[in-house]
Amino acid sequence: MPEPLLLTDLRAATMLPGGAAYGVIGDAAIAIEDGAIRWVGAARDVPGDLADWPRRGLGGRLVTPALIDCHTHIVHGGDRAREFEMRLEGASYEEIARAGGGIVSTVSATRAADEATLLKDALSRVDALIAEGVGCIEIKSGYGLDLETELRMLRVARRIGEVRPVTVVTSFLGAHAVPAGEDADRYIDEVCLPALEAAHAEGLVDAVDGFCEGIAFDTAQIARVFDRAAALGLPVKLHAEQLSHMGGTALAARYGARSVDHVEYASAADARALADAGSVAVLLPGAFYTLRETQAPPVQAFREAGVPMAVATDLNPGSSPLGSLLLAMNMACTLFRLTPEEALAGVTRHAARALGLRDRGEIRAGLRADLAVWNVETPAELSYRIGTNPLHTRIVGGQS
Ligand code: NIG
Ligand code: FE
């Protein structure tokens, strides 16, 4: 462990709720010891026993919690640039999926890629996120749809957390799409559930995800996956109400889901169900933008019900080839009318909650020292600028 360190000459957006906007402390200091935040507060209040610690001045820069991308499909083979062209020529995402393109075409490319290739390709995307201050990434399987490839994707995800200074949280997404020529029920029972058991036995699964949609699985099929997750003691989450209202949000809430993601077509009743379940709504403006959707998620209903909203890239080769979490924040504001403060909470405090992580997402004594230091004056600038990266330094586990 490095020496204790006192960060000084900084403004901290602690993201602690209930006080100043963004939890800002104007002239702040942050004490780091053993990879954790030991103390944070106004510089004039630094406790006497920390006063002679080694100091590092940050030139008045803004410090936030390190960012958290709580929904990605960053491990995958191939690309879908041709589909992008097809959509511009008039085909819809659903038409392409039903014609054997879409998720299923990435499945072919992912099955054909070995572990080294998947890792190398994913790392270039991971490095771009790290360069914008991301310290934690959720990574899903779901482009294998067979036991061997689902496990390979998850092994690559775990490996990313070993070879890069980033925390990886995995989600098993066997119920992502029905493989070409398969029966959906048979696929769930004979492939997806056994793959989940095998992945769990290998310690590869932190949570279980699914895609509840007309082009994927219905609520009864997702319920079978969630029942197995519950039997294994694994938390659940769901892609729901992205393209239509299928009832996935209410189902996920019944299972106490950590998060329900996309949720463009969620209703006010869904919002209340999420609030009661303590689930996070994960907004994915990159997919909304890419698919040129017109129905925005019910942000006002989420606010009124008190549903925490997270924001993520959904980085995937089809519906959201978005490699920037800062741009996702900007899109969440511009397309979904989040405030910049909500967007920053969405990639820090609420993203941590969506992943079940209680040790990060705010700048508070006792949490991990995962911080991002920015060349900006105000926290709103992180959402406001488009296509710029104002990161100065990232500190993860107390180390930069
Ligand atoms: O989150 N909605 C389903 N899954 C992905 C899409 C993946 C793909 O198109 O390859 C999503 O948008
Ligand atoms: Fe997704």
Side-chain angles (χ1 to χ4, degrees), residues 187-278:
Y187 168 75
I188 292 286
D189 294 332
E190 295 180 20
V191 181
C192 179
L193 296 180
L196 170 56
E197 300 260 358
H200 175 61
E202 217 178 292
L204 295 172
V205 185
D206 297 326
V208 175
D209 198 350
F211 186 19
C212 187
E213 191 55 67
I215 54 171
F217 299 96
D218 63 25
T219 50
Q221 291 157 344
I222 295 294
R224 294 218 295 287
V225 179
F226 283 1
D227 284 337
R228 188 63 57 92
L232 296 172
L234 291 168
V236 301
K237 56 184 22 189
L238 191 62
H239 291 68
E241 316 335 332
Q242 179 189 8
L243 308 169
S244 62
H245 191 278
M246 295 269 297
T249 304
L251 174 85
R254 282 202 295 282
Y255 282 81
R258 284 207 168 134
S259 72
V260 183
D261 302 40
H262 288 288
V263 289
E264 276 86 342
Y265 286 83
S267 65
D270 291 329
R272 289 190 295 274
L274 291 179
D276 290 345

Side-chain angles (χ1 to χ4, degrees), residues 71 73 80 93 102-103 106 143 176 211 239 242 262 284 287 314 316-319:
H71 181 139
H73 307 251
R80 305 232 294 275
Y93 184 65
I103 294 172
T106 297
Y143 290 126
H176 193 198
F211 186 19
H239 291 68
Q242 179 189 8
H262 288 288
L284 304 170
D314 193 14
N316 76 66
S319 66

Side-chain angles (χ1 to χ4, degrees), residues 313-346:
T313 60
D314 193 14
L315 177 39
N316 76 66
S319 66
S320 188
L322 170 59
S324 164
L325 191 56
L326 291 171
L327 184 50
M329 292 165 67
N330 171 270
M331 289 176 164
C333 295
T334 303
L335 299 174
F336 296 164
R337 314 313 283 171
L338 259 60
T339 66
E341 186 176 1
E342 287 172 327
L344 188 55

